[in-house]
Amino acid sequence: MIRYNSKEDETFSLNHPELTSYLYFPLANENGVMSSVTPNLSGDSKISQNAFLMPPVSSENLHNDKSSRNFWVRINGSSFWSATGKSSKAQSELFTDEKEATALEAGFMYHKLTRVSKLGLTSEIMSFVPSSGEMVEITGITLKNTTEKPMTIELVSAIPVFGRSADNIRDHRHVTSLLNRIETTEYGVTVKPTMSFDERGHHQNTQVYGVFGGREDEKPRGFIPTVEEFIGEGGSLENPGILGDQSMTLLGAGETAEGYEALGGIVFNVRILKPGESIFYTFILGYGENKEDLEKTAVRFMNRKMFDQSLEETRNCWREKVNITYATGDDVFNHWMKWVSFQPFLRRIYGCSFLPHHDYGKGGRGWRDLWQDCLALLIMDPKDVRKMLLDNYGGVRIDGTNATIIGFSPGEFIADRNNITRVWMDHGMWPFLTTSLYIQQTGDLDILTEETTYFHDMQISRGEEKDLRWNPINRNRLMDQTGQPYRGSVLEHILIEHLTAFYDVGEHGHMRLRGADWNDALDMARENGESVAFTSMYAYNMEEIAELLKALKSKGTDEVLLHKGLLLLLKDGERNPSFKKKLLKDYCMAEFTGEKISFDIEEIINSLESKAAELKENIRKNEWIECESGLSWYNGYYDNSGNKVEGDFLSGKRMMLTSQVFTVMSHTADGEELTKIIKAADELLYDASIGGYKLNTNFNEVKMDLGRMFGFAYGHKENGAVFSHMAVMYGYALYKRGKSEEAFKVISSLYSHCSDFEKSRIYPGIPEYIDAKGRGLYHYLTGSASWMLLTVITQMFGVSGKMGDLSFRPQLLREQFGRDHKIHLDFPFYDRKLKLTYVNESMLEAGSYKITKISIDDEPYINGTSVDLIRKEDILRLDPDKEHHIVVELS
Ligand code: G1P
């Protein structure tokens, strides 16, 4: 069972973590070191797809692979014991030997493993990656004699150094080992391959990798720098030959070995530990430009004071970054939410690629990830968000589609990681969701008129044509007629994303599914598929854009300068799908000049509203399904054969959660329909034993005319798992519609399952999905974390910006309040540290209380107009260096 160590912080403990499979924990920093560690220090470490220090692992390698960080100790001159539990002997004894107790303690970016050997030696292995940014992973090992007699120990590390691209794990693994140039230094083993292997053109390699070990006053005795020497003939990394040899042959410093798989095999002198005495060693895995500087950095951490200081700094740094504290009546929820709030930071560092389940992609982030991460940032660290939004809009093409992969520097975009021409039809609607939240949180309407560039590559006309005149020299920017990068306002980018989508419809008048929508696995209905689900969200966005334009107009802006091509897109009255397609083609294929003209805001508002109404009307009229059993809900898709996807079928009822989430969130479903949707979802999709609402019912068909998801086994990933992101968005949509109790059911089923280690088998946090047996998979790197944060704070706690003011609309249930009838939330707003307390003295249920009084720092707060918000200017008046208590009374 996971135990939280205190009410105040996020750290937790777990006994015998090694008895659970597929567990891994992230250790990283913002300069790009990305490690993963398992309960016996398997996992890997890398700084990019092309620079893996340890051999890359997928989830299946976690138990099958023999390469891990291993630390062997010869106790009293007898056989060697693995301090990480990674020895063939230890494995076989694990289940029978009570004394081999293993315990884990972990907090943000640190992982501490304690093991007790039968012979009375205790090892405590602390691993972390320093937040100060050095390109290293640090391990501190404390060995303690817990017997009453003196004990001799001899420590040997065995850490395989892969030192190359993940691609070479299968492709030319042996050949690339021939490139290795291995050297021993005073403290360790360095590897600098001569080349970075790529048959399209090999490059000279500049990356140096190293493993170093030492103590403040002790250097290693010698080295075994290759795997081959270490394992010996017939041995393995779990039963290494060399350790059976009393007189190990070691290399000294300054030796070289070429063309072998490298190993951080570092051997220390035999020491005598008195009873109760302990000894501390440090090991560093590092990346550098040259071995000298790398070793210097490593040696700095061998100083005990420096080690402790860096660990402390790292822990504090991440605690400060995760600057939201939840204090409801449920301590486990409060702790769990801390870990969820930490996850968006992990996704920004790892992208979607570099933890064991995430064995795809090559780094970088996807379009959706980018905008989702901004949601969390807006709440936890909003200072750079404005710039980030502007940079991100630079990824939009003039045809309303966008680059799909985002590189490492701001504004760096790549068309597709596999160079496949693909259009995800939902992409155009996420930027506005985030921008609209940004505007509400900050009141910064001006961002709409701020200008930024457009992305341009060979792909044009929404992926249907190639621009043969495209010139890579322009660094993927769209140029105007004068040869300058064309800049258009954020509003223009948003309008283009929505209006092009409006015309990109299939034969039923809903937007075409194209490459897929949010559900990446609906990828086989390119020609005739339609996504009703996302059409409803585009329509909703159009209404919301119109609302923002009204606000802009009320501030005195009557006209805006926009790309002339919008004249065509803003036209009204074109309802016929084939005419719509033709109009879109005309827009996309028109010669781009960069000419802008003035548009009347009123006319844009009218056009958006009538287009949104048209889309919603079509859905309401044609997509509501009524089954014979009396259940009803919205159909959200058309397949490539042009048929409705959901409803009553011979093989059973077909229902998809996504279709309901977006028709609810977009207010396409009216109140009565909402009640019916909830009923149908409860009957067809809800399974309390695996965390709540599944993504779909079992279609019992491999639908080749819709997507790969139907090839997946049912109950897994996009085919019917409890897919956290969609489940959370369902909760969000229900809160939005004021269904507090039903929304809480969604969130709490998911949370209760994930936080129950015996069921979910994951460390605290939200995984991408929960499989048919209840295990959480693809832990940590999931957009659902940002959405959970957003849902809990802005909907459940109801704390959000309203055109820059701080508004309170709590939907907290009575059962969520503590025994003192209070709930607290610490969060930042305009850089002020706010400590909010909701007081529900009479313990009323959500929906039956309202805000009666607000006080700030014990002074009653009155703003003259609304009782449920604090004006921006009043927040800005608060001292940024102090904490401020806001008490909101509910009665
Ligand atoms: C993942 C992808 C996301 C996609 C989703 C459904 O979700 O990252 O882009 O929309 O699968 O296919 P996540 O891991 O963010 O929960």
Side-chain angles (χ1 to χ4, degrees), residues 347 352 358 360 366-369 372 424 426-427 430 516-522 534 695 708 717-718 723-726 729 767-769 777-778 780-785:
R347 214 203 7 207
C352 295
H358 302 80
Y360 47 73
W367 186 250
R368 282 179 216 115
D369 315 337
Q372 282 157 13
W424 279 265
D426 65 311
H427 276 184
W430 299 104
D517 65 5
W518 168 87
N519 190 335
D520 288 337
L522 289 175
F534 278 90
L695 203 46
R708 66 172 188 251
K717 228 172 187 294
E718 280 97 344
F723 207 97
S724 304
H725 193 184
M726 198 46 69
M729 288 195 281
E768 180 185 87
Y769 73 91
L777 280 97
Y778 294 72
Y780 297 114
L781 311 182
T782 154
S784 55

